[in-house]
Amino acid sequence: MGRMKANDNGIKIIIWVVAMFLLLQFLDYDWNIFNFHLFGGSRLNNDIHRNIPYDSSEFRARQIDPPLNYEPNAHIAIIPFGTPPPVHIPDVDARIIVITFNRSHSLRRLLESLNKVDYLDDKVVIEIWIDRNKDNEFDEKSYVTAKNFNFDKGLKTINIQKKHAGIYGQWIWTWRPTKDTKEICVILEDDLSVSTFFYRYLKKVHAQYDHRPEVNGYALQAASLKHGGGKGPLQAPDENIVFLYPVLGSWGFSPSRDNWIGFQNWFREAHKNQTFLPLVPGILPTLWYKKELKAGTHENIWTMWQIYYAYSKNERTLYPNFPNKTGMTINWRENGLHFSKAVEVAGPLVESWDERIENLPDEPVHLDVNGTIVKY
Ligand SMILES: *[C@@H]1O[C@H](CO)[C@@H](O)[C@H](O)[C@H]1NC(C)=O
Ligand SMILES: *[C@@H]1O[C@H](CO)[C@@H](O)[C@H](O)[C@H]1NC(C)=O
Ligand SMILES: *[C@@H]1O[C@H](CO)[C@@H](O)[C@H](O)[C@H]1NC(C)=O
Ligand SMILES: *[C@@H]1O[C@H](CO)[C@@H](O)[C@H](O)[C@H]1NC(C)=O
């Protein structure tokens, strides 16, 4: 008799589990693997936990979605327990990687600026990568912001890191190009806003300079200091629309494919060596790195590894040199890893198309770490 009872309970539990599973199929929830909708009918969904084929007419004929709503509400407040694996959408012209952790208002501002960009009708995907903290928790507000963002001009995926990736993991391992990919990738931290022209600019510079082995990528920022410690901002003479420089700019960086693969392969090994330090003589980042090393926080400066690699291979990064120091990105310099004080300053963004970008020089000028023109 007691045995019968245990079996009954077992059956009840199975029925209950099956019922719950079926119920979840009708909710906006990550266990909704069949994607039925009880509420909202055929709500447009560009949230790629499923893979929407890129060329579908649905994508091209996309309507403008209802007004954005970023606040958590009952409908979207359900955060998945287990997070789905990162989704990779192949065969795109542009892959915009947004890395974020715990600054949902910054994330929202960046995503809104990305929505206004002229993508020239190219196939674009925005990949939002949300990191976890060291206890492997992620920020729910960031997830909700990402989920509620409607990208009008392409697709979006939300990728929650499986465990704490940190600034290294977020920067170095989110773009995994194959040797023959033709896509343009750009990596953006969440405290940036972009110019509506940034993609047009990137297409031009990639087309013009990707074949040059010393060009490791394209910085989008206007503002930079001189990494050698020289006074004043980094700037080329006005007649140069672009210039090459030994240190990458990380306020929006679009890597050149082959050099990025080379950097990734080198970093994978070099980072294992506990006694190796990526120190480059004569530049400020080395001093910052050493200081952080003492404090045990050097893992915040991922760029040191890229700077070292570029130095060892004699690589350069291409910077824009627009009039009035306008940039393809601006950095809001908020609290976070890089700035200890939240100062809301924004330089001007490029607001008109400079015709000189149509006619880029074959040989851009090279500047050294103090902004002096040098022979390469
Ligand atoms: C995000 O930041 C807030 C405020 O500083 C903090 O309370 C929260 O724990 C952080 N979330 C994560 C996932 O670290
Ligand atoms: C750059 O300028 C700083 C400060 O004037 C100087 O100490 C340094 O030697 C210069 N570096 C180069 C490569 O010219
Ligand atoms: C690790 O780095 C140290 C210091 O640069 C170097 O001397 C050593 O040869 C490296 N070890 C390996 C296995 O590469
Ligand atoms: C640069 O700024 C000056 C003064 O604000 C303005 O008159 C000029 O038109 C600007 N140049 C460009 C190319 O935007």
Side-chain angles (χ1 to χ4, degrees), residues 215-349:
V215 176
N216 63 15
Y218 307 91
L220 291 172
Q221 70 206 64
S224 174
L225 49 70
K226 293 169 177 159
H227 290 81
K231 277 210 175 71
L234 177 66
Q235 206 160 359
D238 288 346
E239 63 271 21
N240 301 283
I241 182 77
V242 291
F243 62 87
L244 287 164
Y245 185 68
V247 176
L248 88 160
S250 60
W251 295 355
F253 183 68
S254 180
S256 133
R257 181 197 61 201
D258 294 348
N259 302 55
W260 194 249
I261 292 173
F263 167 60
Q264 287 177 321
N265 291 340
W266 169 80
F267 177 80
R268 189 185 287 113
E269 295 310 312
H271 199 227
K272 284 181 196 154
N273 185 342
Q274 300 288 326
T275 52
F276 173 76
L277 296 174
L279 305 180
V280 175
I283 57 166
L284 297 172
T286 299
L287 302 182
W288 305 332
Y289 186 84
K290 281 182 174 167
K291 202 170 144 217
E292 302 245 351
L293 193 63
K294 273 196 191 138
T297 49
H298 53 295
E299 295 279 305
N300 293 343
I301 310 189
W302 80 273
T303 48
M304 199 64 233
W305 293 82
Q306 210 287 336
I307 295 168
Y308 180 92
Y309 182 75
Y311 168 75
S312 70
K313 299 272 175 189
N314 217 0
E315 290 178 356
R316 300 284 186 274
T317 295
L318 191 93
Y319 280 70
N321 193 47
F322 297 124
N324 292 351
K325 292 308 283 173
T326 55
M328 286 296 174
T329 55
I330 50 169
N331 187 309
W332 294 85
R333 296 170 187 248
E334 282 159 326
N335 241 333
L337 280 179
H338 307 305
F339 301 98
S340 52
K341 233 171 126 204
V343 217
E344 293 251 331
V345 249
L349 281 171

Side-chain angles (χ1 to χ4, degrees), residues 51-347:
N51 219 340
I52 296 177
Y54 212 98
D55 273 319
S56 70
S57 50
E58 183 206 300
F59 166 62
R60 288 282 169 202
R62 179 186 299 281
Q63 295 162 7
I64 303 298
D65 287 334
L68 302 178
N69 168 20
Y70 293 96
E71 299 312 317
N73 60 38
H75 187 54
I76 42 79
I78 306 166
I79 305 292
F81 292 124
T83 44
V87 175
H88 182 80
I89 298 183
D91 304 324
V92 293
D93 299 311
R95 190 174 304 281
I96 298 169
I97 292 183
V98 169
I99 55 180
T100 189
F101 166 49
N102 192 359
R103 291 189 292 209
S104 56
H105 75 282
S106 308
L107 174 63
R108 173 183 168 177
R109 184 180 54 213
L110 170 60
L111 293 174
E112 280 178 354
S113 81
L114 285 169
N115 226 356
K116 296 192 191 116
V117 170
D118 178 5
Y119 296 105
L120 304 161
D121 283 329
D122 279 359
K123 295 176 182 175
V124 181
V125 59
I126 295 181
E127 295 185 357
I128 303 166
W129 289 81
I130 302 174
D131 199 9
R132 291 173 186 267
N133 65 18
K134 291 196 168 131
D135 297 323
N136 284 330
E137 300 155 341
F138 66 91
D139 178 49
E140 297 190 0
K141 271 188 158 170
S142 298
Y143 178 79
V144 167
T145 300
K147 194 156 169 101
N148 280 3
F149 167 67
N150 291 305
F151 184 35
D152 300 328
K153 297 173 176 171
L155 295 170
K156 133 193 133 182
T157 66
I158 304 174
N159 307 283
I160 299 171
Q161 292 281 9
K162 280 213 154 23
K163 52 184 192 184
H164 175 67
I167 199 77
Y168 276 69
Q170 288 273 75
W171 263 97
I172 299 173
W173 298 117
T174 41
W175 190 42
R176 306 285 190 110
T178 56
K179 281 200 186 72
D180 57 356
T181 187
K182 293 198 168 48
E183 69 190 29
I184 288 179
C185 169
V186 58
I187 303 168
L188 302 167
E189 284 185 46
D190 58 10
D191 54 357
L192 304 171
S193 292
V194 296
S195 159
T196 53
F197 295 112
F198 97 87
Y199 181 65
R200 274 177 77 179
Y201 171 74
L202 278 184
K203 271 195 98 160
K204 288 286 175 195
V205 290
H206 273 276
Q208 180 79 358
Y209 302 118
D210 270 358
H211 69 279
R212 296 179 67 127
E214 86 274 22
V215 176
N216 63 15
Y218 307 91
L220 291 172
Q221 70 206 64
S224 174
L225 49 70
K226 293 169 177 159
H227 290 81
K231 277 210 175 71
L234 177 66
Q235 206 160 359
D238 288 346
E239 63 271 21
N240 301 283
I241 182 77
V242 291
F243 62 87
L244 287 164
Y245 185 68
V247 176
L248 88 160
S250 60
W251 295 355
F253 183 68
S254 180
S256 133
R257 181 197 61 201
D258 294 348
N259 302 55
W260 194 249
I261 292 173
F263 167 60
Q264 287 177 321
N265 291 340
W266 169 80
F267 177 80
R268 189 185 287 113
E269 295 310 312
H271 199 227
K272 284 181 196 154
N273 185 342
Q274 300 288 326
T275 52
F276 173 76
L277 296 174
L279 305 180
V280 175
I283 57 166
L284 297 172
T286 299
L287 302 182
W288 305 332
Y289 186 84
K290 281 182 174 167
K291 202 170 144 217
E292 302 245 351
L293 193 63
K294 273 196 191 138
T297 49
H298 53 295
E299 295 279 305
N300 293 343
I301 310 189
W302 80 273
T303 48
M304 199 64 233
W305 293 82
Q306 210 287 336
I307 295 168
Y308 180 92
Y309 182 75
Y311 168 75
S312 70
K313 299 272 175 189
N314 217 0
E315 290 178 356
R316 300 284 186 274
T317 295
L318 191 93
Y319 280 70
N321 193 47
F322 297 124
N324 292 351
K325 292 308 283 173
T326 55
M328 286 296 174
T329 55
I330 50 169
N331 187 309
W332 294 85
R333 296 170 187 248
E334 282 159 326
N335 241 333
L337 280 179
H338 307 305
F339 301 98
S340 52
K341 233 171 126 204
V343 217
E344 293 251 331
V345 249

